[in-house]
Amino acid sequence: MPSTMSRRGFLAAGGALAATSALSGCSALAAADDDPDTLVVHSQLGTTAPGSPTYLSALDRFREETGLKVRNLVNGDDLAQVYETSRLARKEPDVVMVNLYDKTLAWTDVGATVDVKGHLDDWGLRERVLPVALDAWTDGKGRLRAFPYFATNWPVAYNRALLDRAGVGEIPATGDQLIAAARKLRKKGLAPVTVGGNDWTGQKLLAQIIQTFLTEDEARHVYATGDFGGRGARQGIDYFVELRDAGVFADKAQGLTSDSMTTQFNTQAAAMQSAMSSALAKVPEPVARHTDVGGWPLAPGAAHDRPTILRTYTLIGFWVSPNGTKKIDAVEKFLRFMYRPDTVSRFIKEAGRDMALRSDTVSSDFPLVAAAQRLGGEVGQVLLPDLFVPPAATQPLITATSTSFTRGTSAAQVRSVLEAAYRGA
């Protein structure tokens, strides 16, 4: 990925429209050709992404109530790249729904999207947002990158029935207990912890385990700089390698993805998984009935006093583009509607989504999501590294993760590939 200065030139400078040809077939590039009275929204919601039916229904209701036309552009994991290309052509959509991660970290700084703090206050929406979410979406210069919306809890799901079958009496709370449980599960032909060691799910779990011996400030330094040489980071890597080589993770975890991880857990081929809210919402009811959620087991000398989870308030926000400022009245109506308590409640009740907004609604039809919401002081929390990892290191860290989950890779080698991911960042 280019440096910030290069990306500033790529996104903010004009006259480079030839670069759009590679993606000229993408629907986002036609955004500016829409009727000026049509609000163009670019999101990952609209196909199979969790919450898509609720979102599409909400759009229909918004159109009916306001009489405004809304065009919904849909992309998957390539959304950020498609948006950047459309921005280069000055044909970007008006509103973008995407998380704060990787490429998007630089958008406000390079002028690809606008600071929305003034709009949040002018429209009276600040009190709707959880303060911790506002902090997460505000950059170092005090700019609010987007209107916060989706959040997520990221606990560990434990299949009690499988643990009982293997003779594991209690949910593991320590590394030694986890290793002992893994051995018993393997004797029954069951995978212990399934994880997408070849994608972002494995990267997040690896980061969580490494933080076992790190304070929040220390973890922030490690993931901002790529310096894994400190004592706490080295202890965390040693702990990960100990668990891996003791057979805690599913066989060939280095080649698994989030989809294969979810399949293994939901079909009861594996007893445990580190699962964000959207994955918890997909656990079949017969499996969810005998599944508990909790934290990741600790090791002696840990910097935390309770098993840990990840939690983030930056899963999806509403970003406003330069084109969107030309339709700011329509954007205001859209944001007011999406922030309405009844709209927010629908995402919680119908889709099992965690929200970055205030709400008294509970995910009653998604028991594991609701259970994760209630964990509170039962667990500790470690840092989600997404806001601190330089964008250029994001994808190399995925490759380093796969190497790290490969049996036989030494702790020194794990540290080396993690630090190598930051070279050039």
Side-chain angles (χ1 to χ4, degrees):
M1 184 173 186
S3 67
T4 299
M5 183 59 69
S6 297
R7 297 193 69 240
R8 181 181 297 278
F10 178 78
L11 291 170
L17 300 186
T20 66
S21 59
L23 289 175
S24 60
C26 296
S27 58
L29 292 180
D33 296 330
D34 279 282
D35 186 316
D37 295 325
T38 297
L39 184 68
V40 184
V41 182
H42 194 185
S43 78
Q44 293 175 320
L45 301 180
T47 52
T48 60
S52 291
T54 299
Y55 173 68
L56 294 176
S57 176
L59 283 187
D60 287 341
R61 184 175 177 183
F62 174 74
R63 294 183 184 106
E64 181 180 350
E65 289 187 11
T66 64
L68 292 173
K69 292 180 287 185
V70 181
R71 182 182 175 198
N72 186 44
L73 306 177
V74 183
N75 280 96
D77 292 340
D78 61 341
L79 183 149
Q81 182 63 52
V82 173
Y83 175 78
E84 290 189 356
T85 305
S86 64
R87 171 58 193 154
L88 181 66
R90 298 299 187 265
K91 294 186 176 184
E92 80 274 6
D94 306 310
V95 176
V96 190
M97 296 175 62
V98 70
N99 60 332
L100 185 56
Y101 173 64
D102 194 9
K103 292 174 178 290
T104 69
L105 289 167
W107 279 0
T108 304
D109 195 48
V110 300
T113 54
V114 303
D115 176 7
V116 301
K117 182 170 65 175
H119 296 309
L120 183 82
D121 291 327
D122 291 344
W123 300 343
L125 298 178
R126 178 175 290 271
E127 293 305 312
R128 295 283 297 121
V129 188
L130 296 171
V132 66
L134 285 175
D135 289 344
W137 282 95
T138 300
D139 69 13
K141 298 179 180 178
R143 298 172 298 198
L144 183 63
R145 295 175 170 107
F147 290 85
Y149 207 58
F150 284 174
T152 190
N153 285 308
W154 208 318
V156 182
Y158 295 93
N159 186 317
R160 296 190 318 276
L162 297 186
L163 292 174
D164 289 344
R165 187 192 307 175
V168 179
E170 296 181 355
I171 289 176
T174 69
D176 288 342
Q177 291 173 357
L178 181 59
I179 290 171
R183 289 170 178 162
K184 292 180 178 180
L185 286 162
R186 286 185 173 278
K187 288 181 180 179
K188 295 293 183 179
L190 297 167
V193 178
T194 180
V195 58
N198 197 33
D199 67 10
W200 53 273
T201 53
Q203 188 248 330
K204 300 300 186 295
L205 181 57
L206 175 59
Q208 182 175 358
I209 296 171
I210 289 175
Q211 290 182 67
T212 299
F213 299 93
L214 296 174
T215 65
E216 182 175 322
D217 287 343
E218 289 170 339
R220 186 179 292 108
H221 169 78
V222 167
Y223 282 97
T225 65
D227 176 12
F228 291 84
R231 179 180 177 184
R234 287 186 284 107
Q235 285 179 300
I237 292 172
D238 288 342
Y239 181 41
F240 167 79
V241 170
E242 177 187 3
L243 296 177
R244 185 203 64 201
D245 290 347
V248 162
F249 305 111
D251 291 341
K252 300 180 180 179
Q254 71 272 18
L256 299 181
T257 65
S258 59
D259 288 340
S260 50
M261 175 190 79
T262 300
T263 298
Q264 282 193 344
F265 187 83
N266 289 355
T267 59
Q268 303 195 84
M272 296 168 271
Q273 69 167 342
S274 170
M276 64 192 302
S277 301
S278 56
L280 294 176
K282 293 181 178 179
V283 176
E285 191 277 333
V287 180
R289 194 183 311 132
H290 49 73
T291 296
D292 287 341
V293 295
W296 184 263
L298 297 179
H304 310 271
D305 57 6
R306 290 155 294 173
T308 63
I309 68 168
L310 293 164
R311 186 178 284 126
T312 181
Y313 298 89
T314 57
L315 195 60
I316 279 185
F318 295 98
W319 308 65
V320 179
S321 75
N323 274 341
T325 61
K326 304 171 187 176
K327 305 176 186 176
I328 201 64
D329 289 343
V331 172
E332 178 181 356
K333 291 177 181 178
F334 179 68
L335 265 298
R336 286 185 180 277
F337 175 85
M338 296 303 293
Y339 265 44
R340 268 179 14 192
D342 60 317
T343 304
V344 172
S345 292
R346 288 191 62 187
F347 280 102
I348 298 171
K349 291 191 295 185
E350 297 175 12
R353 301 305 310 229
D354 284 310
M355 306 300 292
L357 307 183
R358 301 180 191 273
S359 179
D360 294 327
T361 305
V362 178
S363 302
S364 55
D365 291 338
F366 301 89
L368 298 184
V369 177
Q373 292 166 346
R374 294 192 299 265
L375 280 173
E378 297 178 29
V379 293
Q381 183 176 333
V382 296
L383 190 75
L384 186 78
D386 293 3
L387 300 184
F388 308 100
V389 173
T394 299
Q395 289 307 312
L397 275 177
I398 300 296
T399 302
T401 295
S402 180
T403 301
S404 300
F405 272 98
T406 302
R407 295 282 293 271
T409 306
S410 69
Q413 289 171 320
V414 170
R415 175 188 166 191
S416 177
V417 296
L418 290 174
E419 292 184 336
Y422 283 76
R423 290 177 190 149

